[in-house]
Amino acid sequence: MIERAGAGPLRRLVVLRHAKSARPEGVTDHERPLAARGERDAPAAGRALADADCLPGLALCSTAVRARRTWDLAAAQWGTPPPVRHDPRLYHGEVRDLLAVIHEVPAGIETLLLVGHNPGLEDLVLTLAGDGLDDTLDRVGAKFPTSAIAVLSWRGAAWRDLAPRTALLTSVTVPRGGNR
């Protein structure tokens, strides 16, 4: 159950886990590139966001190579991508780190995209969602795979008002590109 209803405009937090990454020998975790499947799935994620009319006014992206590439490929599917901020706190950030970054977002942004990593993103979605439509909470709790997209809706005057259990998890999708 959502703990408190906020006042203010309807806002959406779109959470995108980076696409499938490769694990080349001798490459640090931060520098890992996307795997071939990730190169196909990331554009599919961008198309899914466009099809759902869920394009952000701002994107916050981890500094890791696989997250940045996911962002680049997804955003290339849109006519005019929004501004993006690459923030090192999103690289393996825990819920408190992710919320700190979100709380800094200007109040004028109504839809925010967060591109990052598990387990932080899964934990964030489950922490913020006071409720979910259909089986969305169960699905995220079971697995939040690469390229997964979760959309949380909430009302608030500013992003700093987003708190645990105040959002509704409205959808979870896992877009996949062809030729898997």
Side-chain angles (χ1 to χ4, degrees), residues 42-62:
R47 289 189 299 274
L49 289 172
D51 291 347
D53 194 26
C54 211
L55 298 182
L58 175 67
L60 301 174
C61 183
S62 163

Side-chain angles (χ1 to χ4, degrees), residues 7-47:
L10 182 64
R11 297 179 185 278
R12 292 183 300 182
L13 174 61
V14 181
V15 178
L16 170 61
R17 183 174 174 202
H18 67 77
K20 183 72 174 173
S21 59
R23 296 185 179 272
E25 191 173 320
V27 175
T28 66
D29 183 73
H30 190 273
E31 301 304 311
R32 286 176 37 214
L34 290 183
R37 188 178 104 198
E39 292 281 334
R40 292 187 303 270
D41 291 349
R47 289 189 299 274

Side-chain angles (χ1 to χ4, degrees), residues 117-131:
H117 312 268
N118 258 2
L121 291 185
E122 180 179 323
D123 293 344
L124 177 71
V125 170
L126 295 173
T127 296
L128 293 177
D131 204 353

Side-chain angles (χ1 to χ4, degrees), residues 142-162:
K143 186 175 184 181
F144 195 63
T146 56
S147 299
I149 300 169
V151 180
L152 295 143
S153 295
W154 65 287
R155 290 199 178 273
W159 285 95
R160 69 179 174 272
D161 299 331
L162 182 57

